[in-house]
Amino acid sequence: MATLQDIGLAAAINILSAIIFLVLFAILRLQPMNDRVYFPKWYLKGLRDSPSRSGAFVRQFVNLDFRSYLRFLNWMPEALKMPELELIDHAGLDSAVYLRIYLLGLKIFVPITLLAWAILVPVNWTNNMLDGDNVIFSSIDKLSVSNIPQRSHRFWAHIIMAYIFTFWTCYVLRKEYETVASMRLHFLASVRRRPDQFTVLVRNVPPDPDESVSELVEHFFLVNHPDNYLIHQVVYNANKLAKLVKEKKSKQNWLDYYELKYSRNQSKRPVKKTGFLGLCGEKVDAIDFETSEIKRLSKEITEERERVIMDPKSIMPTAFVSFKSRWGAAVCAQTQQSRDPTAWVTEWAPEPRDVYWQNLAIPYVQLTIKRLIIAVAFFFLTFFFMIPIAFVQSLANIEGIEKRFSFLKVIIEVPFIKSLIVGVLPGLALKLFLMFLPAILMLMSKFEGFISISSLERRSASRFYIFSFVNVFLGSIIAGTAFEQLNSFIKQSANQIPKTIGVAIPMKATFFITYIMVDGWAGIAGEILRLKPLIFYHLKNFFLVKTEKDREEAMDPGSLGFNTGEPQIQLYFLLGLVYAVVTPLLLPFILVFFGFAYLVFRHQIINVYNQEYESGAAFWPDVHGRVITALVISQVLLMGLIGTKEAAQSAPFLIALPILTIAFHRFCKGRYEPAFIRYPLQEAMMKDTLEHAREPNLNLKGYLQNAYIHPVFKACNEDEDEDEDGEFNKNWGEESILVPTKRQSRRNTPVPSKVSANSSPPSSLPDVVEEHTQP
């Protein structure tokens, strides 16, 4: 059981760690040789030059201006200077709205903390319930609701504050939802032209024995969207080709490395082993070996590319269909295309940067099976992770450690060691156990078949939140209570066990305080230091970089990582809302996290992160929903906790809280969520009209022609000559000749095809309808 001394030591260690990280960052960011590590975004935008190009040799690597070190904290006010509108233009709406999650936490918890400490802390402290109870407690627990006597009228204070906290949280959530929805609509209306505004993704194209997928897609949309259809791009299964291209790139990197190594020392040719990871096998000349491997892969890539383009089996029943206007795309994306709702399924296409091409090759019918498999796997992953959680909680129980390892008792009883184990080790151990979880959850999401990076991250974030709730929150409470109150469980009768649990749950606040300090204080400070990218950049710069392009590729700006960052924030929302009424001592630690994290991530977004995609803040409904979930959980737990205190006359008044909260969520969902899942036709028409007036001669077909070509084909084309490029482009929708077909409806296409040079003569749409209605 952590005491005030243990919490103080943990706070001192984590604050000291954070200060060390910040001081190191402040010094390292001033060095010219680290400029590309701490300001990569400005280099990618072409707005910053390397300071190591001019001046004395030493000044190219080390900053000798000692006056700049006196201003080592100037990054903090600079991170706050950029206005939000400029930030959106600089980093995108996703990044700006992500920062608003931290501001949302401050808006919610600053007033709650002030009220809780002004009212609930004195109410809890001026009691002596724990002094006469048969439970293990510390002085910190006297600040919690556990210190209120049974059937006390003081519980009315907690119930009233629960209502106030709920109404304030809902008010802030509604205002923020309204603001973000308005920001999204304004962003979509003002953002410059993008291919995804005109394009929908069509999946589960039904097979036809007489027509290819490309012909079938073209004819379907010419018939059903005759005034709006422009072009389409079928999806190829190019996963094997992508692997070959990736392997060739890796071989090229090794060849560059060995050639650079040889140029520095031409007295000896570099050698390598051909076996596993270069650890075994025959020794060969490294340059010759990599050159031969590249030639082999180039030949295989050429053959595989031709096979993919020519083999009908490589064409998936999926296509990107582009329209002449945003209005036409909006109508198609938001309507059902056929009588069979499982065929011709349409949705908005992700922007080209956001497409996860590997999953487009997964047949639509397999998605349900894959998601069922992952659901079962996730259940077992969550269940079996209870084992390390129980181990972490055993570390927080000094008495249990002394009983199991009696020979360590002399060391453990040293006050400093004891405080270190109880106050720091459990939170640190939990942080380490969770280190590999995001990668596992991302692999699960990829297996499920989501077709965009943003949807992959949102799915992983959702699972991470569920996992954190079950294991980090509930698991820590249940396992910790069992360890700490085991003696009480044994001695008490069965009907007294719920009472002991009810008293012990608030006491786990001390464990979560230590976790917040490790993860939310020192962890955030470690984020800004960027130690791993710093080391890797200098290794690449020393061994591989030969040109300015190589140096740019060596930079690793990274991105926000929504799949890891957002669930972390939501855990703090959950802890803050649950313990606001139960143990207000935890709230200041959460405030420090939200404020410090906002400052750090604002700096990173401005100077470092290069977001992979732009979804227009499509993730905000998930953020809102998870805060509402945390609010309902806090209300249910408070009802259970007061129920164990035999406060029957006051507990029923809490029943209305979750009902009101869910009703509020349904209101927000109906009022604001459509802005995140639909594109208003009025907005689309307005945007189209303005664009047509400003650019009447816009060649939209040329703009969209190659927007959704698989990146691997573009990579292949870089090494080809112009003639081959022209031949390649024919296969991707430029004035190519369609294969003749026997399909009767082919002769009734209402307008000439804009893709095929051999389009059928125009016919009237009524003829098509008549043909399909004949028996």
Side-chain angles (χ1 to χ4, degrees):
M1 178 68 64
T3 63
L4 190 60
Q5 178 184 354
D6 302 332
I7 296 296
L9 178 64
I13 291 175
N14 285 284
I15 290 174
L16 181 62
S17 300
I19 291 175
I20 292 174
F21 290 152
L22 292 176
V23 170
L24 285 174
F25 162 72
I27 295 174
L28 291 173
R29 70 187 285 269
L30 296 175
Q31 312 310 315
M33 62 179 180
N34 299 329
D35 205 57
R36 288 179 177 270
V37 177
Y38 294 110
F39 302 96
K41 189 159 193 170
W42 297 100
Y43 283 93
L44 294 175
K45 285 179 171 285
L47 300 175
R48 192 178 181 97
D49 292 325
S50 176
S52 62
R53 288 182 174 179
S54 60
F57 179 76
V58 177
R59 290 182 180 273
Q60 295 181 13
F61 301 96
V62 181
N63 186 353
L64 299 180
D65 182 9
F66 294 101
R67 289 175 298 179
S68 63
Y69 292 95
L70 300 177
R71 302 186 301 271
F72 70 96
L73 292 179
N74 64 351
W75 67 270
M76 294 184 179
E78 287 178 359
L80 300 174
K81 282 182 181 179
M82 184 178 287
E84 188 172 57
L85 290 178
E86 186 179 342
L87 181 67
I88 293 173
D89 184 62
H90 174 71
L93 185 64
D94 280 343
S95 299
V97 172
Y98 182 85
L99 288 174
R100 294 189 71 92
I101 306 177
Y102 295 104
L103 287 180
L104 177 67
L106 291 174
K107 291 176 183 177
I108 290 175
F109 288 112
V110 167
I112 286 178
T113 302
L114 295 176
L115 281 175
W117 275 77
I119 298 174
L120 294 181
V121 168
V123 170
N124 295 336
W125 179 260
T126 55
N127 287 278
N128 55 1
M129 170 68 178
L130 293 176
D131 293 332
D133 238 338
N134 186 28
V135 292
I136 301 171
F137 71 95
S138 70
S139 57
I140 295 175
D141 301 316
K142 296 190 71 174
L143 298 173
S144 73
V145 72
S146 299
N147 202 34
I148 304 294
Q150 304 287 100
R151 297 182 294 273
S152 173
H153 292 291
R154 295 194 178 201
F155 285 117
W156 283 107
H158 298 81
I159 293 174
I160 292 172
M161 295 309 294
Y163 271 90
I164 293 174
F165 294 167
T166 296
F167 290 155
W168 172 251
T169 302
C170 290
Y171 171 77
V172 174
L173 280 175
R174 190 192 72 80
K175 296 292 290 185
E176 198 67 20
Y177 212 152
E178 183 179 26
T179 300
V180 175
S182 177
M183 291 172 64
R184 173 179 168 84
L185 291 175
H186 182 267
F187 176 81
L188 294 177
S190 60
V191 71
R192 59 182 177 271
R193 187 188 311 111
R194 298 194 323 189
D196 53 294
Q197 297 171 343
F198 301 88
T199 308
V200 300
L201 177 66
V202 183
R203 308 190 75 174
N204 211 27
V205 176
D208 190 292
D210 297 322
E211 288 192 323
S212 66
V213 173
S214 181
E215 292 173 314
L216 192 59
V217 170
E218 180 189 22
H219 303 158
F220 180 87
F221 284 95
L222 283 172
V223 169
N224 296 286
H225 298 267
D227 298 326
N228 296 294
Y229 168 75
L230 183 59
I231 57 173
H232 72 277
Q233 178 60 261
V234 294
V235 173
Y236 287 77
N237 184 353
N239 289 348
K240 182 179 179 181
L241 180 60
K243 291 179 181 178
L244 291 173
V245 172
K246 184 178 179 181
E247 185 180 356
K248 179 183 176 181
K249 184 178 179 180
S250 175
K251 296 292 184 182
Q252 186 63 53
N253 288 338
W254 278 111
L255 178 60
D256 292 342
Y257 165 73
Y258 288 124
E259 287 180 341
L260 180 61
K261 184 177 180 181
Y262 179 64
S263 66
R264 291 174 177 175
N265 181 16
Q266 297 189 3
S267 62
K268 183 180 180 181
R269 296 272 292 185
V271 296
K272 67 170 294 182
K273 294 182 179 179
T274 59
F276 178 72
L277 296 177
L279 301 175
C280 58
E282 179 186 358
K283 280 188 178 183
V284 295
D285 184 285
I287 295 177
D288 293 342
F289 177 78
E290 299 298 348
T291 302
S292 63
E293 286 292 293
I294 291 172
K295 289 181 179 179
R296 176 184 63 82
L297 289 169
S298 297
K299 182 179 179 181
E300 291 183 12
I301 287 171
T302 301
E303 294 173 353
E304 178 63 18
R305 189 183 72 170
E306 293 300 323
R307 187 196 67 79
V308 168
I309 294 174
M310 303 305 296
D311 186 3
K313 294 182 180 179
S314 297
I315 302 176
M316 305 304 299
T318 304
F320 290 100
V321 180
S322 297
F323 295 80
K324 299 176 183 177
S325 65
R326 296 172 181 84
W327 187 91
V331 170
C332 181
Q334 297 166 181
T335 54
Q336 183 174 316
Q337 302 303 309
S338 69
R339 294 179 180 178
D340 182 0
T342 64
W344 299 102
V345 180
T346 57
E347 59 182 289
W348 279 108
E351 66 162 326
R353 293 181 304 166
D354 193 19
V355 178
Y356 189 70
W357 294 94
Q358 292 90 320
N359 281 355
L360 285 175
I362 299 176
Y364 189 79
V365 294
Q366 292 184 11
L367 296 181
T368 303
I369 300 174
K370 284 176 171 286
R371 289 172 187 177
L372 177 62
I373 293 172
I374 290 301
V376 175
F378 178 69
F379 171 80
F380 284 104
L381 175 67
T382 305
F383 178 78
F384 283 110
F385 206 84
M386 284 289 185
I387 298 173
I389 291 295
F391 170 74
V392 168
Q393 289 302 318
S394 70
L395 296 177
N397 182 23
I398 288 291
E399 292 77 12
I401 296 176
E402 290 178 346
K403 287 180 181 178
R404 289 190 183 90
F405 308 101
S406 56
F407 61 91
L408 296 176
K409 186 173 182 179
V410 178
I411 301 175
I412 292 176
E413 288 298 326
V414 176
F416 176 79
I417 300 297
K418 181 179 179 180
S419 298
L420 185 66
I421 293 175
V422 176
V424 178
L425 199 56
L428 182 61
L430 182 58
K431 176 74 174 175
L432 293 175
F433 276 125
L434 295 174
M435 186 178 298
F436 300 103
L437 181 64
I440 297 173
L441 296 180
M442 180 57 76
L443 287 175
M444 288 183 168
S445 298
K446 290 177 180 179
F447 182 81
E448 284 184 286
F450 291 95
I451 52 90
S452 67
I453 300 173
S454 57
S455 59
L456 286 171
E457 291 196 344
R458 289 201 297 272
R459 183 67 163 185
S460 296
S462 176
R463 286 221 167 94
F464 201 161
Y465 178 73
I466 295 172
F467 186 93
S468 298
F469 171 69
V470 174
N471 281 295
V472 179
F473 182 70
L474 289 182
S476 296
I477 288 176
I478 296 171
T481 302
F483 275 113
E484 291 172 0
Q485 309 301 335
L486 184 59
N487 188 49
S488 299
F489 286 169
I490 295 174
K491 292 182 178 179
Q492 290 178 348
S493 59
N495 60 349
Q496 292 294 313
I497 291 178
K499 172 187 170 183
T500 303
I501 295 178
V503 174
I505 285 177
M507 298 180 184
K508 291 311 298 175
T510 54
F511 166 74
F512 290 120
I513 288 173
T514 63
Y515 178 73
I516 290 170
M517 288 188 291
V518 171
D519 182 63
W521 294 9
I524 296 298
E527 170 69 26
I528 201 171
L529 181 59
R530 287 177 56 80
L531 189 59
K532 179 181 175 182
L534 177 69
I535 294 173
F536 275 79
Y537 169 75
H538 285 298
L539 289 175
K540 291 177 180 179
N541 193 36
F542 182 79
F543 290 108
L544 298 177
V545 169
K546 293 187 294 183
T547 65
E548 198 63 28
K549 183 179 179 182
D550 295 336
R551 186 168 287 105
E552 183 176 309
E553 292 179 352
M555 292 189 304
D556 180 21
S559 60
L560 275 174
F562 182 82
N563 59 312
T564 56
E566 196 269 345
Q568 177 196 41
I569 305 172
Q570 292 298 339
L571 177 61
Y572 293 124
F573 275 107
L574 176 64
L575 295 176
L577 292 171
V578 166
Y579 282 100
V581 178
V582 174
T583 309
L585 177 66
L586 181 137
L587 293 175
F589 296 89
I590 287 183
L591 285 182
V592 172
F593 162 75
F594 279 118
F596 185 42
Y598 174 75
L599 179 66
V600 167
F601 280 101
R602 208 173 201 276
H603 173 275
Q604 300 296 83
I605 284 172
I606 292 173
N607 298 298
V608 180
Y609 296 144
N610 184 41
Q611 197 63 13
E612 298 179 22
Y613 58 85
E614 178 58 62
S615 69
F619 56 81
W620 189 260
D622 297 333
V623 174
H624 176 88
R626 284 195 268 272
V627 176
I628 290 292
T629 301
L631 193 57
V632 173
I633 290 170
S634 69
Q635 295 159 356
V636 172
L637 290 179
L638 182 61
M639 278 193 291
L641 182 59
I642 292 182
T644 63
K645 292 289 189 174
E646 301 177 8
Q649 74 280 10
S650 56
F653 287 90
L654 287 171
I655 296 176
L657 270 182
I659 297 174
L660 292 174
T661 304
I662 294 172
F664 165 77
H665 176 59
R666 290 179 64 85
F667 162 77
C668 289
K669 188 178 180 68
R671 174 64 181 83
Y672 302 114
E673 189 173 329
F676 294 87
I677 58 178
R678 300 187 185 98
Y679 189 29
L681 296 181
Q682 181 185 22
E683 296 285 338
M685 180 62 75
M686 187 184 305
K687 183 84 171 174
D688 289 332
T689 303
L690 288 174
E691 186 174 76
H692 182 71
R694 291 171 182 170
E695 301 179 70
N697 298 321
L698 172 65
N699 181 13
L700 188 60
K701 181 179 179 181
Y703 173 72
L704 297 172
Q705 186 74 57
N706 298 323
Y708 285 96
I709 290 179
H710 197 300
V712 72
F713 290 102
K714 295 180 181 179
C716 290
N717 264 6
E718 291 178 358
D719 299 329
E720 303 292 339
D721 59 77
E722 293 183 0
D723 294 337
E724 290 179 340
D725 285 345
E727 183 64 28
F728 169 74
N729 285 330
K730 279 187 177 182
N731 291 290
W732 287 95
E734 289 186 0
E735 301 303 316
S736 58
I737 298 176
L738 294 179
V739 179
T741 176
K742 301 176 183 179
R743 188 165 181 256
Q744 186 69 20
S745 63
R746 173 69 177 131
R747 295 197 298 270
N748 295 311
T749 300
V751 293
S753 169
K754 293 179 177 58
V755 177
S756 173
N758 289 351
S759 298
S760 301
S763 180
S764 61
L765 185 59
D767 291 337
V768 180
V769 177
E770 181 181 352
E771 176 191 349
H772 284 285
T773 55
Q774 289 178 355

